[in-house]
Amino acid sequence: MHPIQALRAFFRVLFHGEPQGDAPAAPPPPDSAFKASGEPAIQLLGLFQKEGRLIDFLRENIAGFGDAEVGAAVREIHAGCRKVLDERLTLEPIVEGQEGARIDVPAGFDPSAISVSGNVTGDAPYAGTLRHCGWRVTRIDLPTVPAGADARVAAPAQVEIA
Amino acid sequence: MSAPGKYVVGIDLGTTNTALSFVDATRVDEVAEAIPVSEFPVPQVVAPGAVEDRPTFPSAVYVAAGSELPPDSLHLPWRAETKTAIGHFAREQGAKVPTRYIHSSKSWLCHGGVSRQEAILPWQSEEADAKRSPAEVATMILAHLREAWNHRFPADHLGDQEITLCVPASFDAEARNLTVEAAQRAGFVHLHLLEEPQAALYSWIQSQGRNWREKLRVGDLVLVIDVGGGTTDFSLIAVTEEDGVLQLRRVAVGEHILLGGDNMDLALAFDVRTRLEQERGTTLDFFQMMALTHHCRAAKEQLLGDDTLQSVPITLLGTGSSVIGGSIRTELPRERLDALLLDGFFPRCKFSDRPARPKRSGFRGGGLPYAADGAVTRHLARFLGLHQDTAAEFLPGRAADAPILPTAILFNGGVFHAESLRQRIFDVVASWCHESGAAPPRVLPSPELDLAVSRGAAYIGVTRRGRGVRIRGGSPRSYYVGFEAPMPAVPGVEPPVKLLCVTPYGMEEGTSRDISGEPIDLCMWTGEPVEFRFFSSTSRRQDQPGAILDLEGEEFVEHSPLETTVGEEQPGQDGEAVEVDLRSTLTDIGVLNLDVVEREGGAVHRLEFNVRHLPEAGGE
């Protein structure tokens, strides 16, 4: 074919690319893909670090900084960590009610879900004042991880290549 | 083209974000005129090794070098992938490695100054293996949508559904054709194009149900102003009446203006950075600059949303492990926001004001032709000024001695989440109305500033089946081929270029026009490629096919030239002369085709855009 013709044919194909419909089936992802992390606690810590710099903040010696400096930074850290909490967990209060209000603790209550204190005598039921509504995690949704990734990494080192 | 699909799909292939909406056509309630539109959350890589559904799908591509990510980082649930990521993670990773990051590719699709079929993106990157053409990137994004959809609806493949794909109203024929070809390569068969501002108006109609007819009156002129992440797009839609039925007619579209919300956030960030450098000698590293841009966007929204705030504090945490010790505290004061945003991008101006003209530089292909004037309001004044005659024709009741101004405004695009920016545009248009003695415009409530385009596109797919209102539009530009006027040869003087109108403004989809006989005596030699210069105008609505004009004034934009060959090349022989006519066709899909038709025998030869030659000056 004449070079010009060939070039034209090439561009014609580019321009009028035949509709391919569904392309031939691509290979599926390997079985190793989309696995949950073997270290979910470290992974969650890593998310708080990535979005809210939580590890850096807790590890930093903040004694030398003024309240204004700490306060300004905490707004940022709060926003980032809150985002992770909202995206990855659903938290619901264990007891519905106003803190400070009178509340009955029924017989057979779950002591891991309700912690009683003060003048505890005999068996439930008890009557008392609600001091904290408690939190229960009803959903935890952590991202899957690449198979080859080191699960003990909470935050990778960062190197800028010149 | 019949689409057997159960779903009707609308796609907003945006400069910064892509969205897909759909309607289950079997659940449309014709009596209530209620068409329930749903969004498709797009599964995409959101972190290495993690794919999740997200309501937004960034139009961003990252091409991995190979070893910078853990193995198995980029797989998709439906296929193995090791090289490219599209969407959220692509944007995050791309910000760290800009030489392998492709974004805003749609802006390049309408840039006449570069070869849009060549692998030029990421622009100015040296990474040869990462390079893709703007058209290819569009195909990749659309193919991802197709695969994701097929994964969720294995019995109703996207390729079998009727798809309406949105393009900026300002896209020229070449950009529209490129978009259609990209979609076809992505496996979309039952395809229509729709202009984004029209889609936004359809979305408004959808949100109103059957009540929309009570909100618009004959004689209304609706201005749709769409300021997205990277582009500003205007359209005028007139409300007319035919046989007692309200009709909507898109009467004018704006030119392509590369100006959007991203420019505004960057302007604020650069201003804060400069102040930090000058006042404190603080320099920001790369991650801090990214964080600053992000914070400036949030601070902007806070200030625009609360008049009582005088300033919003911004804290950039230290990027090393010392979070508080390395942090930088600064602020975005209201006076800077007003100066940069309201007075920079949305200044009060007169109806007679015009945007500053672009500076012409000697360099070609030097990146995107960003708007030279950042003032959206001055671009709006120019747009309305250019289309006075058009508006007068469709709205005959208006006084002839006063400017014709919109009676209603519909806002679209994420920028207009800020009430005070909508208010500023309204104030400016209202001041023009006041000067000309007209009532201020009404504001049509925007149902969804970010999703209106894809939702409106899904809605129109249903009405295309015969239900509900349609906006009539036709070709938003008139098109011309250029040829050199015959004149005696004078060394050093180029013969003047004449333009032959081949496609009139407003030519309807699904029609064609023949330009034959007298005015042109076109003759081609067999076997020799012939090239035509190709021009368009968004403001010349009077030119009829066959009309011959001088190439004068600023109304014409030049595109890539068109080329075709008649007959076969006969080696060693001169070709024979063949008399030909021209035919222009606007297809149902919305693609413009130009053909050379042999007078004898009627053989048809399609004129193709010659992508190797670029016009002298890219379109605005």
Side-chain angles (χ1 to χ4, degrees):
Chain A
M1 206 188 305
H2 193 277
I4 292 285
Q5 296 268 324
L7 204 57
R8 188 175 306 127
F10 170 68
F11 279 106
R12 200 154 287 166
V13 169
L14 259 187
F15 246 82
H16 289 272
E18 294 294 312
Q20 292 166 349
D22 288 336
D31 290 341
S32 55
F34 309 121
K35 286 284 188 288
S37 172
E39 298 278 5
I42 296 176
Q43 189 191 13
L44 186 58
L45 189 62
L47 288 171
F48 282 124
Q49 163 67 11
K50 179 176 179 234
E51 300 292 341
R53 309 289 303 282
L54 186 63
I55 302 174
D56 292 334
F57 172 63
L58 296 175
R59 294 279 295 184
E60 189 163 20
N61 179 2
I62 63 169
F65 301 116
D67 286 357
E69 286 168 289
V70 177
V74 164
R75 282 188 191 282
E76 288 299 298
I77 293 161
H78 177 268
C81 292
R82 174 65 184 265
K83 180 168 168 259
V84 175
L85 211 57
D86 290 348
E87 275 179 11
R88 298 294 164 191
L89 303 168
T90 303
L91 288 162
E92 284 173 8
I94 289 169
V95 175
E96 299 287 348
Q98 197 94 45
E99 286 177 356
R102 298 291 294 173
I103 183 170
D104 293 324
V105 179
F109 73 98
D110 175 0
S112 70
I114 297 178
S115 160
V116 292
S117 57
N119 190 15
V120 181
T121 31
D123 287 335
Y126 306 119
T129 307
L130 180 61
R131 296 296 179 200
H132 190 296
C133 294
W135 293 114
R136 178 181 278 122
V137 175
T138 56
R139 175 191 67 105
I140 179 154
D141 189 7
L142 292 173
T144 54
V145 294
D150 181 348
R152 300 193 74 80
V153 172
Q158 294 173 4
V159 180
E160 188 176 342
I161 311 297
Chain B
M1 239 188 288
S2 70
K6 171 181 173 191
Y7 298 101
V8 179
V9 174
I11 296 176
D12 175 9
L13 180 60
T15 313
T16 43
N17 282 301
T18 292
L20 189 153
S21 299
F22 63 98
V23 176
D24 180 345
T26 60
R27 295 185 52 215
V28 171
D29 184 342
E30 288 178 49
V31 180
E33 291 188 35
I35 297 179
V37 180
S38 312
E39 269 72 53
F40 179 71
V42 183
Q44 54 196 290
V45 178
V46 296
V51 169
E52 291 176 2
D53 291 355
R54 291 291 161 92
T56 58
F57 183 45
S59 311
V61 174
Y62 179 76
V63 185
S67 61
E68 81 273 44
L69 297 169
D72 291 343
S73 282
L74 304 179
H75 292 306
L76 296 164
W78 50 86
R79 68 176 164 82
E81 173 63 61
T82 55
K83 187 78 182 160
T84 57
I86 308 176
H88 267 275
F89 179 66
R91 189 175 61 185
E92 184 184 312
Q93 177 68 15
K96 295 186 205 165
V97 190
T99 53
R100 312 193 64 85
Y101 176 43
I102 302 171
H103 61 97
S104 306
S105 61
K106 190 167 86 166
S107 295
W108 294 88
L109 213 50
C110 193
H111 179 12
V114 296
S115 180
R116 293 169 256 191
Q117 309 253 14
E118 273 171 32
I120 55 170
L121 302 178
W123 185 244
Q124 289 179 329
S125 166
E126 304 282 320
E127 308 296 319
D129 69 300
K131 292 260 188 176
R132 303 286 185 273
S133 75
E136 206 176 341
V137 175
T139 299
M140 290 167 75
I141 293 169
L142 293 171
H144 182 99
L145 287 182
R146 190 200 70 213
E147 293 172 358
W149 172 285
N150 294 353
H151 187 65
R152 175 169 157 194
F153 299 109
D156 296 283
H157 278 197
L158 193 55
D160 297 330
Q161 316 305 317
E162 185 172 317
I163 292 165
T164 303
L165 182 60
C166 294
V167 292
S170 53
F171 256 25
D172 61 30
E174 190 174 2
R176 285 170 197 240
N177 291 14
L178 282 169
T179 304
V180 166
E181 284 149 11
Q184 287 170 340
R185 275 198 299 276
F188 295 178
V189 183
H190 311 287
L191 186 69
H192 289 273
L193 291 188
L194 176 67
E195 292 168 6
E196 288 162 10
Q198 290 190 40
L201 189 63
Y202 281 125
S203 178
W204 175 80
I205 291 171
Q206 189 261 344
S207 74
Q208 298 291 315
R210 61 193 316 170
N211 291 329
W212 73 270
R213 290 182 193 83
E214 290 151 28
K215 306 277 171 71
L216 289 178
R217 295 183 286 271
V218 174
D220 266 333
L221 186 62
V222 181
L223 166 68
V224 184
I225 171 167
D226 184 354
V227 181
T231 52
T232 291
D233 211 8
F234 305 125
S235 286
L236 279 176
I237 294 163
V239 183
T240 60
E241 192 171 25
E242 250 169 62
D243 306 325
V245 179
L246 279 191
Q247 300 278 344
L248 299 175
R249 184 156 195 117
R250 192 268 284 113
V251 296
V253 305
E255 290 164 347
H256 203 61
I257 306 171
L258 286 181
L259 178 65
D262 297 348
N263 308 43
M264 299 171 196
D265 300 333
L266 270 180
L268 296 174
F270 279 120
D271 186 64
V272 172
R273 184 178 76 168
T274 307
R275 200 149 34 85
L276 279 170
E277 280 173 5
Q278 286 172 350
E279 291 174 6
R280 294 189 234 165
T282 311
T283 51
L284 300 183
D285 68 21
F286 175 73
F287 290 101
Q288 287 170 324
M289 189 59 200
M290 260 171 57
L292 178 60
T293 310
H294 178 77
H295 280 86
C296 281
R297 178 179 308 138
K300 171 192 80 179
E301 281 160 14
Q302 241 183 302
L303 283 171
L304 290 172
D306 183 352
D307 286 344
T308 64
L309 286 176
Q310 282 313 305
S311 178
V312 170
I314 290 174
T315 305
L316 304 173
L317 297 176
T319 45
S321 49
S322 177
V323 171
I324 298 176
S327 70
I328 297 164
R329 289 163 63 200
T330 180
E331 60 178 353
L332 180 64
R334 176 171 296 281
E335 35 114 3
R336 292 311 296 155
L337 181 88
D338 286 349
L340 288 164
L341 197 62
L342 283 170
D343 299 335
F345 289 97
F346 299 92
R348 295 179 194 280
C349 69
K350 293 201 192 70
F351 185 60
S352 55
D353 284 350
R354 292 294 177 263
R357 287 171 46 91
K359 291 194 192 75
R360 295 213 181 264
S361 83
F363 294 104
R364 284 231 331 246
L368 287 172
Y370 292 109
D373 189 332
V376 171
T377 42
R378 282 196 288 270
H379 285 284
L380 179 59
R382 173 182 150 84
F383 166 67
L384 293 174
L386 266 177
H387 296 287
Q388 286 294 301
D389 294 348
T390 313
E393 183 177 325
F394 286 98
L395 302 168
R398 299 293 196 90
D401 53 348
I404 296 180
L405 292 160
T407 57
I409 302 178
L410 179 69
F411 293 101
N412 194 47
V415 164
F416 289 118
H417 282 299
E419 203 267 330
S420 60
L421 296 185
R422 300 198 301 269
Q423 185 68 39
R424 172 58 66 89
I425 295 274
F426 172 84
D427 288 346
V428 170
V429 177
S431 75
W432 299 340
C433 291
H434 180 74
E435 271 172 39
S436 71
R442 310 190 303 285
V443 174
L444 305 181
S446 309
E448 289 267 8
L449 289 164
D450 294 313
L451 290 169
V453 167
S454 65
R455 292 179 62 88
Y459 169 85
I460 185 60
V462 178
T463 67
R464 204 175 268 122
R465 297 182 173 185
R467 304 174 189 116
V469 66
R470 293 275 305 277
I471 301 171
R472 292 171 63 196
S475 175
R477 293 168 182 252
S478 47
Y479 287 92
Y480 310 83
V481 294
F483 58 95
E484 288 178 358
M487 66 172 269
V490 181
V493 177
E494 282 192 30
V497 173
K498 292 280 189 183
L499 298 183
L500 170 71
C501 179
V502 289
T503 306
Y505 167 93
M507 186 165 119
E508 304 261 354
E509 280 91 1
T511 65
S512 65
R513 297 293 179 89
D514 286 307
I515 302 96
S516 59
E518 257 310 296
I520 56 159
D521 247 337
L522 263 184
C523 173
M524 292 176 65
W525 299 94
T526 55
E528 286 181 30
V530 172
E531 191 175 275
F532 296 96
R533 289 174 72 183
F534 189 50
F535 300 83
S536 76
S537 169
T538 58
S539 55
R540 296 191 58 90
R541 45 169 298 99
Q542 67 278 29
D543 299 335
Q544 288 305 305
I548 292 177
L549 309 99
D550 293 320
L551 175 56
E552 277 178 357
E554 294 169 16
E555 289 177 290
F556 300 102
V557 174
E558 181 160 13
H559 307 284
S560 299
L562 296 164
E563 188 189 83
T564 195
T565 307
V566 171
E568 290 295 316
E569 192 177 3
Q570 307 287 338
Q573 286 181 29
D574 283 344
E576 4 167 349
V578 178
E579 292 188 314
V580 295
D581 294 324
L582 293 173
R583 174 181 299 152
S584 74
T585 306
L586 192 57
T587 67
D588 285 331
I589 296 173
V591 165
L592 180 67
N593 288 328
L594 286 173
D595 295 308
V596 162
V597 184
E598 291 183 37
R599 278 191 194 162
E600 263 182 50
V604 176
H605 309 275
R606 176 67 35 89
L607 282 159
E608 311 278 1
F609 286 108
N610 182 334
V611 295
R612 287 156 289 162
H613 293 177
L614 304 176
E616 283 301 310
E620 191 187 341

